[in-house]
Amino acid sequence: MLNRKQTRKYYFSVEGETEQWYLRWLQDIINHTEEAACKVSIDCPVVKNPIKHIKALTVTQKIEVYHFFDYESDEPVHVQRFQDAMDHMKGRSGWANR
């Protein structure tokens, strides 16, 4: 009789499709590896504001949610996007309190 591996769920929000593709690829690699201790399920919708994703989750226990994004360049528009994401996660934008 085969033992079924436990599945562990991980929560991410991602900035773009590239980050989403990477996490789905990683999930597939882990789940198709015989030596893996468990299977994984990665929830990773594309959202610019990580707080929006957190508020949409329905969970019954404490979880950790990671926001996966990159720092594009030192151009003002990219710096502002990065800073906005950091501010949302810290609750400084006022958005998290709505």
Side-chain angles (χ1 to χ4, degrees), residues 10-14 23 43 50 53 64-68 89:
Y10 296 90
Y11 296 89
F12 288 83
S13 57
V14 295
L23 288 171
D43 176 53
H53 175 54
E64 292 183 6
V65 180
Y66 303 93
H67 184 60
F68 194 20
M89 288 187 287

Side-chain angles (χ1 to χ4, degrees), residues 19-88:
E19 293 88 355
Q20 186 181 52
W21 291 334
Y22 170 75
L23 288 171
R24 288 185 177 162
W25 170 83
L26 182 61
Q27 174 182 282
D28 288 343
I29 293 297
I30 293 169
N31 290 340
H32 289 98
T33 301
E34 291 295 323
E35 296 83 14
C38 64
K39 298 223 178 249
V40 296
S41 171
I42 298 177
D43 176 53
C44 57
V46 176
V47 293
K48 299 293 183 194
N49 185 333
I51 302 302
K52 183 177 182 181
H53 175 54
I54 291 169
K55 289 190 175 216
L57 290 173
T58 303
V59 293
T60 58
Q61 60 190 10
K62 183 178 177 180
I63 61 169
E64 292 183 6
V65 180
Y66 303 93
H67 184 60
F68 194 20
F69 65 112
D70 57 357
Y71 187 92
E72 298 284 340
S73 72
D74 288 332
E75 304 245 340
V77 66
H78 294 140
V79 171
Q80 188 61 49
R81 282 187 199 151
F82 182 83
Q83 192 61 51
D84 288 347
M86 296 299 288
D87 287 345
H88 287 191

